[in-house]
Amino acid sequence: QQQVRQSPQSLTVWEGETAILNCSYEDSTFDYFPWYWQFPRESPALLIAIRPVSNKKEDGRFTIFFNKREKKLSLHITDSQPGDSATYFCAASATGNTGKLIFGLGTTLQVQP
Amino acid sequence: DPKIIQKPKYLVAVTGSEKILICEQYLGHNAMYWYRQSAKKPLEFMFSYSYQKLMDNQTASSRFQPQSSKKNHLDLQITALKPDDSATYFCASSQGSGASDYTFGSGTRLLVI
């Protein structure tokens, strides 16, 4: 059973558009939600993260919207650039849970110039 | 300079053999982890260590054994290798189990033939 679910599996947008990546989770003890991006043949790198005390976290063109009641979050990438083309992973962790990160299966984003 | 060093970068092994994947981190973190990434199960948590003690083990097989000789080392020994073990193995570290400063190494790509 996948504890962290992501949709869509793949997404293509045009340069300048807003890409929306969705994530949902099952475990209500999760209290830390990082998004990682991964380029081909590279390791995952932290992009942006949020804790449930907030319902929004912004960093430049990247914004996380968080809905604790529905156990859903989304990553919005505004003014998408070809360099944003990567696989995006939503992850979740619970404090005191040995530091383990539970990853979703990822969304592969392609930004067309 | 890379903060987490994984060796080797690529590894080809024969079915039934044994290999050791090396991980050293120079971030001063006290928690280290192993993850596996394959086409079937992207970014799957394997182990977590804190202060050289095993905190969590999510691998079903005893063929995978982490080894921590120093605080900043966490090697992964894999015995009786199978083709299904082919994957990229990522080492990661963080300061404590809060996971907010997770850093991944560049990975070891293992191919078992």
Side-chain angles (χ1 to χ4, degrees):
Chain A
Q1 182 182 358
Q2 193 69 21
Q3 293 187 60
V4 176
R5 293 189 176 88
Q6 290 186 246
S7 64
Q9 186 175 349
S10 63
L11 177 65
T12 300
V13 299
W14 293 104
E15 183 175 354
E17 291 185 332
T18 296
I20 300 176
L21 289 65
N22 301 302
C23 179
S24 64
Y25 62 98
E26 299 288 329
D27 192 336
S28 58
T29 66
F30 288 153
D31 59 2
Y32 176 66
F33 300 90
W35 285 83
Y36 283 80
W37 56 351
Q38 185 178 29
F39 297 94
R41 293 173 297 284
E42 293 188 13
S43 58
L46 179 64
L47 177 62
I48 187 173
I50 194 169
R51 295 192 182 272
V53 292
S54 303
N55 55 21
K56 180 181 177 181
K57 179 72 175 291
E58 203 168 343
D59 185 356
R61 297 185 294 107
F62 301 90
T63 303
I64 299 174
F65 292 93
F66 182 75
N67 185 323
K68 186 176 181 179
R69 183 178 60 84
E70 294 186 6
K71 295 182 184 175
K72 291 181 179 180
L73 56 162
S74 60
L75 175 67
H76 292 225
I77 306 172
T78 57
D79 188 25
S80 295
Q81 302 296 310
D84 297 335
S85 299
T87 298
Y88 291 76
F89 292 99
C90 174
S93 178
T95 299
N97 193 21
T98 71
K100 174 174 62 180
L101 281 175
I102 307 296
F103 284 86
L105 297 181
T107 293
T108 299
L109 173 66
Q110 184 73 28
V111 181
Q112 301 277 24
Chain B
D1 290 336
K3 300 296 196 296
I4 299 181
I5 297 173
Q6 288 191 243
K7 301 175 188 176
K9 193 173 180 65
Y10 301 99
L11 185 57
V12 179
V14 176
T15 297
S17 67
E18 171 183 316
K19 293 294 179 185
I20 295 179
L21 281 54
I22 305 296
C23 178
E24 306 170 12
Q25 57 93 1
Y26 296 94
L27 293 162
H29 290 166
N30 54 41
M32 296 186 71
Y33 316 88
W34 278 100
Y35 285 78
R36 175 170 50 197
Q37 185 174 40
S38 66
K40 297 178 182 178
K41 293 184 179 180
L43 287 167
E44 179 187 19
F45 172 85
M46 299 180 72
F47 299 98
S48 68
Y49 265 65
S50 180
Y51 293 102
Q52 294 185 264
K53 292 184 179 179
L54 178 66
M55 301 299 289
D56 198 351
N57 176 358
Q58 294 291 313
T59 59
S61 173
S62 60
R63 295 186 299 107
F64 296 85
Q65 291 292 329
Q67 300 171 344
S68 181
S69 59
K70 299 179 186 178
K71 179 186 172 184
N72 67 328
H73 281 230
L74 186 63
D75 300 336
L76 180 63
Q77 179 185 40
I78 313 174
T79 58
L81 279 161
K82 303 177 179 181
D84 271 355
D85 297 332
S86 298
T88 299
Y89 291 82
F90 288 105
C91 175
S93 70
S94 70
Q95 183 61 24
S97 61
S100 60
D101 57 351
Y102 245 79
T103 303
F104 282 84
S106 57
T108 292
R109 291 185 176 223
L110 172 65
L111 175 64
V112 183
I113 57 175

